[in-house]
Amino acid sequence: MKKIVISLSLVLLMSLNIIYAQTINPYQSYRFGGLALNQDIMMAWDFSELSRMQNFGTARVMGMGGAFVSLGADLTSMSLNPAGLGMYRRSEFAITPLVAVSHAETANTASWASNNKGRFTVGNIGAAINVYENASKGVTSITFGMGLNRIADFNTRYSYSSEAEFNGTPVASIADIFAGMFNRGEGGQIIYPQPQPDGNPNGRLDYANPYFWPAVLGYKNAMTHVNPTSGSWERDAIGNNASIRRSVDVQNVGSINEFDVSFGMNINNLVYVGATLGIQSVHKRSDVVYGEDYGYFDNPEGLAYGPDGKLRPAQLGYADLWQRTELDGSGFNFKLGVVVRPTKGLRLGMAFHTPTFYSLERSYRAGTDYRLLSNEDSPSFEDRIESPIQYDEDGNSWEFISPSRLMFGASYTFGKYAVVSVDYERDWYNGIRVKNTPRDIDFSKEDYKLDFKENFCGTNSIRAGIEVKPLPIFALRAGGGYTSSMLRDEELAYEFPQSTTSYYFTAGAGVNITKNIVFDLAYQYLSQQQSQYRLFYSYDQAVGDFVAESGLYDTSLTRHFISMTIGFRF
C-alpha cells in the first residue's frame, strides 16, 4: 500500500484503527481515538465532509441564496440544474472572483494561535453558447455550456488552549493513550518489554502501521516507558502531579472545483431540459498540532513525581505532536434537469445529481517537538522527531461515491419587477459507499458501509431568494438557506468535529453597465455548527466506559464570502 520514504529510523507498530464511537473492535478490548489521533487513514467523516457541497456560483445566484433550481440563464445552472441553460437567448461569458474568510470559536477555551483564515480565488468562470435559435419550431433554442465552479471550500483554521489542573488526581495526558496502545495491542502484547540483546531495557517495537506512529514518537521523546517492576507501559517523564495545558491548532486548505460540460434545450418556451457531465478536482491539506505544556504547582521546586512518589529523573517541559495529511484526486458525476412553465410567471424545476465517483491519493506523516529537563546531572535539551511518509496512491488509492442529490424548485416572476424563488434538496449521506481502500487497511468496505448506514442520515436543505428591480438596469437581492444534520446522533460522533446543521444569509446587487455588460456583487454569511469531540481518549469496550480522555470540546465556524461577477453577453 505504501511507499515508505524513510526520514528517520523508527521501528513502528501495528493495530486496528477506529471509525466511530460505537464500533466494536473484536480483537482488543480497548479503543483509542480523538482529534489528535486517527489521522493515518480516511475515516467516515472524511468522506462525508468531502461530499458536502456549498452555495457558490455567480454573484447573482449567491445573492439570491442559491435558490436557482427553477430559474436559469445563468452559468451556475450547469452545476445546479442544467435545464436552466435552455433559457439563454444569447451567449454569455462571465467570471466570478471570490473572497472567503473563516472564523472559529471554541467554547470555554483561551486563544492560542489564530482562528481566522482568508482566501482569494475564482468562484466561477465559464461560457454559455447559444448555438440554435428558431422561435417558429418546437425546439426554440439549444445552448451549450462549459465552466469551472467551486463547489466546496476547505480553508478554515481553529486553535485554542485549555487548562487541566492537578487536584490530587492525575490529569489525563495523551501519554496515557500511547501507553495504553502499547499495553493492549491486537492479538495480545505487541510490545516486548523484556531487555533486548542490545541492552535496551524498554524492549522491541514491532511492525510498521502508521496508526502507531504518534505513539512511537511519544515513546522516543520520553513520554512513555516500560515499568521494570510490572512490565507494563506507563508515563515516563510526565509526573503524576502534572497540571497540563492542552493546545490545539487545526489548519485546512484546499477546495473541490468542478469542470462542467452542459447543454440545455428550450421547447416552445414551456419545457426546458438539460444535462451536465461534471468532473471534479480535489485538493485538501490538513495540519493538526496537539501540544501539552506541563506545570508542577504542588511543590515550590516545580518537580515531577511518579506514582510511587519518587522524583522523576527527567521531566518534559512541553511536547507537541503534529500531523499532516494531503489529499488529491478527481471525480465525476452526471446531472439531469427539467423546468416547466405551467403559467406565464410560474416555473417549476427538478434536478437529479448522480453520486460522484471519487478516486483519491493521500499522504500522511507525523512528528514531535519536545523539551526534556533533567533533574540529575544529564543536560536538558530540545529535539524534533519525524516519522516516515505514508503514500496511498495508484492502485492502492481511496475510492468512494458521494450521496446522490435530488432538488425541487419553484419560482414566480412578477413581470419585469421582481422574482421570488424557493428550493428543496435531499442528500443521502447514509448512501456513501467506499469502493476501494489501500490493501493494508484493516477496515473493509463493508465496515464503512455499516458505519454510514447506522450513523448517517439524509439531509434536508431549504433555500429561498428574492430579486427586486427598482430600476430596469438595477437589481437588489436577498436570500438564505438551512441544511439539517447528516448525523443520526451527534452525541456519538466524538472522534472529530463534524459538520451538523448550517444556515446562511445572503445579499446582493446587480447593474447592467451596458446592454451587453453586467456587474453583480454578493455577500454570504454562513454559520456552520459542528459536533462535540475529544482530543484523545481510550475506551474500555468490555466495561463501556472511558479509561482516559480529554473531555469534550465544541468548535463552531462562521464564514464570510464576497463574490463579484462581470458578464459579457453577445
Side-chain angles (χ1 to χ4, degrees):
M1 151 190 168
K2 300 115 181 164
K3 298 176 183 177
I4 303 297
V5 180
I6 302 297
S7 60
L8 182 67
S9 176
L10 294 177
V11 189
L12 304 165
L13 306 173
M14 169 182 275
S15 181
L16 185 66
N17 213 330
I18 307 305
I19 294 183
Y20 254 91
Q22 61 270 37
T23 304
I24 301 298
N25 180 350
Y27 300 106
Q28 57 188 62
S29 62
Y30 275 67
R31 186 173 63 251
F32 310 97
L35 174 66
L37 300 171
N38 289 344
Q39 301 290 329
D40 61 298
I41 69 170
M42 290 192 70
M43 311 292 273
W45 61 78
D46 290 307
F47 299 112
S48 64
E49 291 297 324
L50 290 172
S51 301
R52 194 177 185 98
M53 303 297 97
Q54 293 172 269
N55 175 43
F56 296 132
T58 65
R60 184 184 181 213
V61 171
M62 290 183 66
M64 290 184 65
F68 246 68
V69 171
S70 62
L71 297 176
D74 191 280
L75 296 182
T76 309
S77 298
M78 289 186 276
S79 61
L80 192 64
N81 183 358
L85 284 181
M87 298 179 191
Y88 272 102
R89 307 308 295 266
R90 292 192 292 167
S91 299
E92 180 183 34
F93 170 80
I95 184 171
T96 304
L98 177 71
V99 177
V101 178
S102 71
H103 175 72
E105 291 186 1
T106 302
N108 303 314
T109 63
S111 60
W112 185 40
S114 174
N115 281 294
N116 301 303
K117 196 169 189 67
R119 183 78 171 180
F120 176 81
T121 185
V122 174
N124 177 279
I125 184 172
I129 307 299
N130 187 245
V131 298
Y132 175 82
E133 184 81 22
N134 192 334
S136 63
K137 294 186 178 181
V139 177
T140 305
S141 67
I142 297 176
T143 300
F144 284 94
M146 295 181 65
L148 185 69
N149 191 48
R150 176 162 290 220
I151 59 177
D153 185 275
F154 303 126
N155 294 282
T156 60
R157 183 176 186 180
Y158 56 93
S159 65
Y160 54 86
S161 292
S162 62
E163 303 285 345
E165 297 183 2
F166 172 72
N167 59 1
T169 302
V171 175
S173 163
I174 198 170
D176 300 315
I177 309 302
F178 295 158
M181 288 180 174
F182 289 162
N183 285 327
R184 301 173 180 88
E186 178 184 353
Q189 197 84 348
I190 56 175
I191 302 301
Y192 300 85
Q194 69 272 19
Q196 297 300 298
D198 61 1
N200 177 12
N202 287 332
R204 180 163 56 92
L205 309 181
D206 273 359
Y207 303 113
N209 190 312
Y211 175 68
F212 271 100
W213 289 2
V216 173
L217 293 168
Y219 158 72
K220 287 186 170 287
N221 72 6
M223 297 185 83
T224 60
H225 74 153
V226 175
N227 186 310
T229 303
S230 64
S232 63
W233 286 76
E234 60 182 31
R235 293 188 191 186
D236 186 0
I238 304 172
N240 280 42
N241 59 327
S243 293
I244 301 176
R245 182 175 66 188
R246 305 177 180 127
S247 300
V248 175
D249 185 19
V250 179
Q251 296 190 64
N252 297 303
V253 298
S255 63
I256 300 179
N257 295 302
E258 181 178 83
F259 177 72
D260 293 316
V261 179
S262 305
F263 94 95
M265 180 185 298
N266 177 351
I267 303 173
N268 287 327
N269 292 320
L270 296 175
V271 178
Y272 306 85
V273 295
T276 293
L277 167 63
I279 303 172
Q280 285 81 22
S281 174
V282 181
H283 172 71
K284 183 180 182 182
R285 188 188 75 212
S286 297
D287 291 284
V288 178
V289 178
Y290 171 75
E292 293 185 347
D293 292 271
Y294 309 102
Y296 301 93
F297 309 115
D298 62 326
N299 62 86
E301 296 83 10
L303 298 176
Y305 291 89
D308 56 3
K310 295 182 179 180
L311 178 68
R312 296 285 198 191
Q315 61 190 60
L316 285 167
Y318 71 87
D320 295 338
L321 168 67
W322 56 265
Q323 298 170 88
R324 167 172 287 188
T325 61
E326 292 194 62
L327 194 66
D328 291 282
S330 59
F332 68 90
N333 66 18
F334 295 95
K335 304 175 181 69
L336 302 172
V338 61
V339 175
V340 297
R341 298 178 65 180
T343 63
K344 183 178 180 180
L346 179 64
R347 298 181 188 181
L348 303 175
M350 182 179 73
F352 175 72
H353 297 191
T354 68
T356 302
F357 176 84
Y358 285 106
S359 178
L360 305 170
E361 296 184 346
R362 190 174 188 266
S363 66
Y364 166 73
R365 74 181 312 171
T368 57
D369 300 281
Y370 65 98
R371 185 183 184 197
L372 191 64
L373 307 172
S374 177
N375 291 328
E376 298 178 334
D377 295 331
S378 303
S380 302
F381 64 90
E382 294 184 271
D383 201 2
R384 180 182 180 92
I385 305 172
E386 295 184 10
S387 75
I389 301 177
Q390 163 193 296
Y391 290 103
D392 301 336
E393 59 184 9
D394 301 326
N396 292 301
S397 62
W398 296 85
E399 295 177 353
F400 81 102
I401 58 171
S402 69
S404 55
R405 306 172 68 193
L406 181 62
M407 288 169 270
F408 299 93
S411 60
Y412 195 86
T413 302
F414 299 89
K416 297 181 180 180
Y417 305 104
V419 179
V420 177
S421 183
V422 178
D423 288 355
Y424 168 78
E425 178 178 337
R426 177 77 172 177
D427 296 357
W428 286 270
Y429 284 87
N430 50 348
I432 295 176
R433 294 293 180 266
V434 176
K435 295 298 183 180
N436 186 66
T437 62
R439 60 174 170 263
D440 291 340
I441 295 302
D442 293 300
F443 275 96
S444 68
K445 293 181 289 186
E446 290 301 315
D447 292 327
Y448 285 105
K449 179 180 179 180
L450 181 63
D451 197 355
F452 283 112
K453 289 180 66 175
E454 291 188 349
N455 302 306
F456 287 78
C457 61
T459 60
N460 301 298
S461 299
I462 298 291
R463 299 184 289 266
I466 183 172
E467 178 182 75
V468 178
K469 287 189 173 183
L471 297 173
I473 64 169
F474 181 66
L476 294 174
R477 305 174 184 117
Y482 168 83
T483 299
S484 63
S485 176
M486 67 179 74
L487 302 175
R488 290 186 184 276
D489 189 342
E490 296 176 15
E491 293 184 358
L492 297 176
Y494 51 69
E495 295 274 357
F496 196 82
Q498 298 175 69
S499 298
T500 56
T501 59
S502 66
Y503 62 88
Y504 60 87
F505 301 104
T506 66
V511 61
N512 294 340
I513 299 175
T514 70
K515 181 179 178 181
N516 298 318
I517 302 176
V518 297
F519 177 80
D520 296 306
L521 183 68
Y523 166 75
Q524 179 186 128
Y525 168 86
L526 169 66
S527 177
Q528 185 173 314
Q529 303 302 308
Q530 301 188 116
S531 59
Q532 293 185 324
Y533 58 96
R534 288 177 167 82
L535 303 179
F536 59 80
Y537 71 84
S538 61
Y539 186 84
D540 188 342
Q541 298 180 119
V543 176
D545 197 6
F546 290 97
V547 178
E549 54 99 10
S550 66
L552 286 170
Y553 292 79
D554 187 358
T555 299
S556 59
L557 295 172
T558 56
R559 311 190 69 183
H560 307 268
F561 301 98
I562 299 174
S563 67
M564 57 195 80
T565 299
I566 181 75
F568 305 90
R569 295 169 180 170
F570 51 93

